[in-house]
Every structure is written in C-alpha cells, then in structure tokens.
Amino acid sequence: MRIVSVFYSGFILLLLACGTTQVPKSVSYLGYSVSPKIKADTALINLIQPYSVKVNSTMNDVIGFTPVTMTKRLPESGLGNFMADCMKEMAAQKFGLPVDIAFMNQGGIRASLNKGNITVGNVYELMPFDNLLVLQELKGSVIEALLNHIAADGGWPISSGSSFKIKNKQAVDIIINGKPLDRNATYITANSDYIAQGGSDAALLKAFPFQNKGYLIRDALIEYIKQITSSGKPIDAKIENRVTSTSNE
C-alpha cells in the first residue's frame, strides 16, 4: 500500500466579496511505501488508543446467535431472505406504513454470518456501505420490469410473501405480498437508496421519488437482530422458493 502526500506551493491570493481563496500554482506528489518494516509511531498509537478500545468494544458486542452458517447464493439464500425480511419489517416500523415487498441487491451482501454469536462487527462486515433504507411507491408494471432485470441478473433476495420464477431470464408467476401481481396497482416497496437511484443497473427506478428518513440498512439489521434476540429466538432463515429457476432456464 502507498500513501500519497500532496504539497502546495506558490499560493495566489484572490480577494473575493465572501473572503480569501487560496489557489495553488503547482502541485507535487511524493509517495511513501507502507509496510510492516516501518517503525510504529508511538505517539500516534497512544493518541488513537482510547478510540481503538471504544471501537473494538462496540464491534465485539454480541447482539444475537445463529445456529447455522448463513451465506449468499443464487437464485435464493437464507441470508438473502433474512436481509430482505429485515428491510420489509424495519421499514414498516420506521416509516409507519405497510410495506408490500422489499428488495436486496445480491451484490450488496458482502459477507456471511458464521454459526455462533453475531456481533455488531459481523453486521458491519455484512453491510459495510452506508446505504439507506428507503420507500418507493411503484406501479405493478414497474415492479414487473424490475423483477425482469433481477431475473436476468440471476435473482436477488426478496421479502417473505412474495415470489417469482425465472424463465428465459424473465420473471414469471409473480406474487406480491401473497397475491398475483397487478400491473395497474400501486405497491409500497422497501429498497436501498443505492438501488432506488439506479444502482446495479436498475436505472428504471431513477424516475420515481423515494422516502428517506436517514435510516441505514446496517442499523436496521442491528435493530432487527436485537428484536429477534430479545424475543428469545435465534437468527435463522430458510429457503422458501421465493426465487426459483425453471428447468429450461
């Protein structure tokens, strides 16, 4: 790994109505090689030590337990089901609205949950991004188009009560919240702000506004795990044939 240090020289002072702005006339770069051979900076270590202790204490806080190792896989996984269910439930709690379906993009799942205790740090590994949990109102025709995109991508996790089959890279037999998809109906969907803004090639969603309360999906996962744990249950999820591929896929 290399750290680049930037040096500014020959600043020009510009007097503006709002104050003084400094503009560099030239910029030079000097690279530093970082390796275990470099002697540790004792002063810096002492400076960050109190913060390191606090962070480690928080990351090692046990918030739940899973009796099985949960990993992601296509077209459906217990881990993906768990995360999509979390998004649906916590979005309903946070926004105070009934949520019909939640989506979790496959690429957003960055780790597994290993059998045993679940810590806050495990959740950060699972969801390292500061993605927000948001709501979008979408017509059934838009959801169908999104599910076709998801089908072509091999399948993403969706929440309990909804399902579809992948046939020739298209979504068929679509069920939303226990009922067949109505292309003309409007559904409340829970998603990440990343996907809602067109991430993972879901550009069709960019045209639709979303509700945002600044609630991170990572925080939703931590809170959801704590709620399940407080009820005396372990963190577990099963394959429920929410997303399946037909034999001729």
Side-chain angles (χ1 to χ4, degrees), residues 8 35 39 57 75 87 96 103 111 155 168 177 181 186 205 248:
Y8 297 93
S35 74
K39 184 179 179 181
S57 175
M87 293 175 66
F103 305 93
N168 298 325
N177 210 16
L181 174 74
T186 299
L205 297 183
N248 63 340

Side-chain angles (χ1 to χ4, degrees), residues 28 54 133 147 159 171 176 178-179 188-189 206 214:
S28 61
K54 178 61 177 178
L133 182 57
L147 291 178
S159 56
I176 304 295
K179 298 178 181 179
I188 297 178
T189 68
K206 293 175 65 175

Side-chain angles (χ1 to χ4, degrees), residues 102-121:
F103 305 93
M104 178 67 210
N105 64 308
Q106 185 76 2
I109 305 175
R110 309 300 288 191
S112 301
L113 285 179
N114 294 324
K115 178 181 178 180
N117 288 334
I118 300 173
T119 65
V120 171

Side-chain angles (χ1 to χ4, degrees), residues 72-136:
K72 72 173 184 178
R73 67 180 181 85
L74 297 174
E76 180 186 356
S77 68
L79 179 59
N81 288 349
F82 165 74
M83 295 180 71
D85 287 349
C86 165
M87 293 175 66
K88 181 180 179 181
E89 174 62 27
M90 300 312 296
Q93 291 185 27
K94 193 70 174 180
F95 290 86
L97 294 171
V99 177
D100 295 299
I101 185 171
F103 305 93
M104 178 67 210
N105 64 308
Q106 185 76 2
I109 305 175
R110 309 300 288 191
S112 301
L113 285 179
N114 294 324
K115 178 181 178 180
N117 288 334
I118 300 173
T119 65
V120 171
N122 294 145
V123 178
Y124 271 74
E125 293 171 352
L126 182 65
M127 175 55 66
F129 312 112
D130 288 340
N131 293 145
L132 298 168
L133 182 57
V134 302
L135 293 187
Q136 277 183 303

